Amino acid sequence: MDMTRRNFLAAAGVASAGAFAALAGCSAPAAKELSDASDGAAQEASAANIVETVDVDVVVVGSGTAGTYAAVRAAENGANVLWLEQNPVRGGASAITEGIATIGGYAMRERGLDLKLDQLYHDYMEFQSWGASPDVLSMYLANSGPATDWAIDHGAKLQYSPISEDTYWGSVCFDDEGNFLHMGEGMLQPLWDYGDTMPNLELRTGVTASELVMQDGTVTGLLAEGGEGTIQVNAKAVVLATGGFADNPDMMKQYVGADEGEIVIVGMGGRMGTGVNMGLSAGGRMHGQSAMMYTFGAVEGATGFNDIANMVFSWDATLSVNEKGERFFNEAETVIGRTAFRNLSVRNQKTAWAVADAPYVNAFAEMGQVDYVTGMTEGDLMQEIESYDSIVSAQTLDELAEKMGVPADALKASVEHYNAIADGEPDPRFGLTGEFVIPVLEAPYYAAKIVPSAYGTEGGLLTNDKMQVLSDETGEPISGLYAVGSDNGSMYHTNYPMHIIGGTAQGFAAASGFVAADTITA
């Protein structure tokens, strides 16, 4: 199944090209140092609240894709594993994701395809301004396929699909009847079922890790809060897999420079930076701090990534203007997968609007409510549009401009130039070409207020290629501490590279959890 927006929107009868679409406070508290006699009073206070002490080989914090791969693989390798999840159910944001990038898996090897890893490495690093960790990127390219192959061997219903011919493949899940499944049901549930058969893997939900425990510079476990009080976990290794800090306003302000609510975060909540802050408390170092996994932008008021309003107005190269009625970036950048470009451009405007005409909107309306993964479902686009205060329509561009609050002359000039690009007129300032233009020709005209949106954060702790957190002071691994998935920022410097390897967040989560487990149990 080819998951590109090009094919989806081509089926809808509208022009497009596509890309694979897949997913506390500012300061970190000090880790508890048991060898520090001066902290005796605090230690005694904590000890007084400890209701249980658990001794294990590995404790994994978080149960999304990264935590699942780490916990189940470590247990399979013979480790005694305690698995903690703050929510009452497993999966986190990973459970509702759509796909995962895979490089060098079964399907590619069976076809004898040239993986072109050097080219993939170059393109990825170039987009990251060569600021990503070369060791961690190399780890990912080498272990993405083996990690997902392992999941398939244990029942994951992943089916490979070529994304860029012979460079890499993505994977999505289908049941035996061919119905689409999200990652939680299709990939994670089989791994959970497998893990549940293991006597050396204990899952505890509703338990929140709160503090690392260290002795002589080595992480020796953690403290966690459960229903009955504080649990002390003594472990040889702690794996942080809590999903980043997208839902923590203070950390978003500190690391991304975004005020609360400035970037709409889609997906499940609760990603408060627990793992990142714990790693920093142990002396770890942040990397790629401001990197975000941006979506295609969102209509103000939309709550889900694939809400129909978002699909119509922000997923394609619709004419984009600011509060002055002027274009401000190349609208096609989103279409070819450079999702960060649109969002960063929108963040630089006081207000941003996507403008479309009746034929474009009607093409979607005739299809009914559309889900880009599962196909058509029931719904009425026109009623949906009317429910948004952020979407306006008018019979003339002058009237539309008035409703948008932008200068009418500027808006009409932007529309005229945008339409002319479709007929071959050059666009020297932004470089838009006619193949991507969706002309604004026929009334009624529509304008939707667009705001930045993202799945989550990508900046996090810096590690080596074994997923060991590196000390900010020495650059050496902090003994006993590992970071995987979105708690690990090593793969990034700028932003999410959807146009190069869509599905990287899930792919890296799988590979990093897999590699951390093998490192710990080697």
Side-chain angles (χ1 to χ4, degrees), residues 112-314:
L113 298 177
D114 177 5
L115 302 184
K116 298 184 178 178
L117 294 185
D118 288 341
Q119 184 64 48
L120 199 55
Y121 179 99
H122 173 273
D123 293 346
Y124 184 97
M125 286 294 281
E126 187 172 61
F127 178 74
Q128 300 296 339
S129 299
W130 296 89
S133 165
D135 292 338
V136 174
L137 175 57
S138 295
M139 178 286 302
Y140 171 55
L141 296 178
N143 289 279
S144 169
T148 47
D149 286 349
W150 171 78
I152 291 171
D153 289 341
H154 293 297
K157 298 182 180 299
L158 290 167
Q159 296 186 21
Y160 292 120
S161 176
I163 300 303
S164 57
E165 297 298 330
D166 56 355
T167 302
Y168 85 100
W169 287 39
S171 298
V172 289
C173 294
F174 297 94
D175 64 17
D176 294 338
E177 285 71 46
N179 299 308
F180 169 81
L181 302 173
H182 285 95
M183 289 288 103
E185 185 177 1
M187 180 179 74
L188 299 182
Q189 187 64 55
L191 293 178
W192 297 338
D193 292 342
Y194 173 50
D196 289 344
T197 68
M198 300 178 183
N200 57 324
L201 174 59
E202 179 187 0
L203 169 71
R204 297 195 187 188
T205 58
V207 178
T208 302
S210 59
E211 186 176 0
L212 291 175
V213 175
M214 299 187 70
Q215 188 165 12
D216 299 328
T218 294
V219 172
T220 59
L222 55 78
L223 301 181
E225 304 303 320
E228 302 299 323
T230 302
I231 304 167
Q232 178 172 322
V233 182
N234 300 321
K236 298 174 184 176
V238 175
V239 181
L240 304 173
T242 66
F245 56 88
D247 299 305
N248 185 320
D250 292 337
M251 295 182 74
M252 285 290 290
K253 179 66 173 179
Q254 180 180 6
Y255 295 120
V256 183
D259 292 327
E260 186 171 1
E262 180 181 340
I263 301 174
V264 175
I265 304 298
V266 299
M268 298 179 68
R271 292 166 289 178
M272 298 300 292
T274 301
V276 173
N277 277 330
M278 290 173 72
L280 294 175
S281 76
R285 172 183 174 185
M286 284 291 283
H287 189 81
Q289 289 91 324
S290 64
M292 295 291 295
M293 187 182 180
Y294 285 111
T295 73
F296 304 111
V299 175
E300 184 178 74
T303 57
F305 163 65
N306 59 342
D307 285 2
I308 187 65
N310 289 340
M311 294 172 59
V312 174
F313 292 103
S314 69

Side-chain angles (χ1 to χ4, degrees), residues 465-476:
D465 58 356
K466 295 179 173 60
M467 304 302 101
Q468 296 171 298
V469 176
L470 299 180
S471 166
D472 187 32
E473 181 178 355
T474 67
E476 296 299 316

Side-chain angles (χ1 to χ4, degrees), residues 419-483:
N419 290 342
I421 295 171
D423 296 326
E425 183 173 308
D427 182 30
R429 174 162 291 185
F430 302 115
L432 178 66
T433 56
E435 63 182 306
F436 297 107
V437 171
I438 303 165
V440 180
L441 299 171
E442 298 181 28
Y445 304 105
Y446 298 85
K449 188 177 293 184
I450 302 297
V451 295
S453 68
Y455 292 107
T457 54
E458 297 297 346
L461 299 165
L462 180 65
T463 71
N464 61 14
D465 58 356
K466 295 179 173 60
M467 304 302 101
Q468 296 171 298
V469 176
L470 299 180
S471 166
D472 187 32
E473 181 178 355
T474 67
E476 296 299 316
I478 298 172
S479 181
L481 186 61
Y482 299 77

Side-chain angles (χ1 to χ4, degrees), residues 8 366-372 374-378:
F8 168 76
E366 290 169 2
M367 294 180 67
Q369 182 91 0
V370 179
D371 184 292
Y372 85 110
T374 60
M376 292 186 293
T377 57
E378 294 182 358

